């Protein structure tokens, strides 16, 4: 977890870097946690924003739920990176591994069962990893719609975190359950596109979310080696989004459809 001030400065603008320094000095960073190479934190701005930083070799992946739509990292991410540069937080994974080595199978099963009872999101990830069925597009879309409703004031200004849905899709893909993964991706791009008229900030975040979901959907559809009839059905999903009445992102969907057809016929 090697990051220094010069690296942080290079990842953003001078103005944002200075604001990040100020935020850190003002003690706005809360709830810093590290597990392996993943650091999460909450930073207090006009509201509390969630920051996620993942270290991978020489790469650095940062995310924040704030509406920042400028160049490079936002001030909340900068503040947390500066905190890490000053001294990485303790890695909780070591404690967890130590306990896992000691706990009995029965106690672990009881704990997991209770956690799954109390946490619907964790339960869904568990079923995606180990179960045989999956939820419908409509069910996933309803969850995403609820996120928009929770963030609307009356418009949505900040970047809603959809990472949970992408993680579920990846779990399905890891098990070669491509249609289940495609269901999740489809729900994301359909509902985000549907709610795009609510968005009044963090436009780049939502455009990238749609594109990431489209790309995942296309990859999964092609991985199933569909018949021409099946392919027409799957491709029709993209065409339907491209021809909606509002059609704010129609060009993005038309490009995706052209690319999908080219890959299928190539």
């Amino acid at each position: 977890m090697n990051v220094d001030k010069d690296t942080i400065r290079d990842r953003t603008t001078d103005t944002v870097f200075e604001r990040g320094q100020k935020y850190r000095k003002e003690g706005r960073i809360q709830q810093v946690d590290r597990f392996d190479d993943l650091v999460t934190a909450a930073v207090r701005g006009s509201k509390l924003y969630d920051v996620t930083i993942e270290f991978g070799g020489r790469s650095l992946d940062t995310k924040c739920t704030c509406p920042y739509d400028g160049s490079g990292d936002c001030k909340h991410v900068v503040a947390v990176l500066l905190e890490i540069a000053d001294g990485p937080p303790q890695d909780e994974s070591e404690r967890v591994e130590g306990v896992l080595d000691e706990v009995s199978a029965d106690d672990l099963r009881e704990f997991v069962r209770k956690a799954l009872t109390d946490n619907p999101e964790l339960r869904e990830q568990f079923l995606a990893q180990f179960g045989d069925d999956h939820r419908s597009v409509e069910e996933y879309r309803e969850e995403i719609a609820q996120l928009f409703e929770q963030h609307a004031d009356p418009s949505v200004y900040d970047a809603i975190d959809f990472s949970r849905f992408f993680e579920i899709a990846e779990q399905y893909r890891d098990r070669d359950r491509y249609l289940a993964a495609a269901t999740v991706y489809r729900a994301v791009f359909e509902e985000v596109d549907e709610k795009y008229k609510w968005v009044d900030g963090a436009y780049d975040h939502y455009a990238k979310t749609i594109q990431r979901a489209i790309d995942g959907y296309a990859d999964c559809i092609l991985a199933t080696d569909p018949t021409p009839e099946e392919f027409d059905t799957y491709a029709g999903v993209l065409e339907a989004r491209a021809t909606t009445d509002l059609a704010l992102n129609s060009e993005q969907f038309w490009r995706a459809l052209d690319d999908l057809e080219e890959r299928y016929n190539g």
Side-chain angles (χ1 to χ4, degrees), residues 15-33:
T15 300
V16 172
F17 181 81
E18 291 172 3
R19 289 175 179 170
Q21 282 186 311
K22 182 180 179 183
Y23 264 41
R24 181 174 178 246
K25 289 178 181 178
E26 291 175 348
R28 292 174 177 262
I29 303 173
Q30 303 175 19
Q31 304 170 357
V32 180
D33 181 77

Side-chain angles (χ1 to χ4, degrees), residues 58-69:
R58 295 184 178 181
S59 65
L60 191 61
D61 184 28
T62 61
K63 297 177 184 176
C64 182
T65 57
C66 77
Y68 178 71
D69 204 20

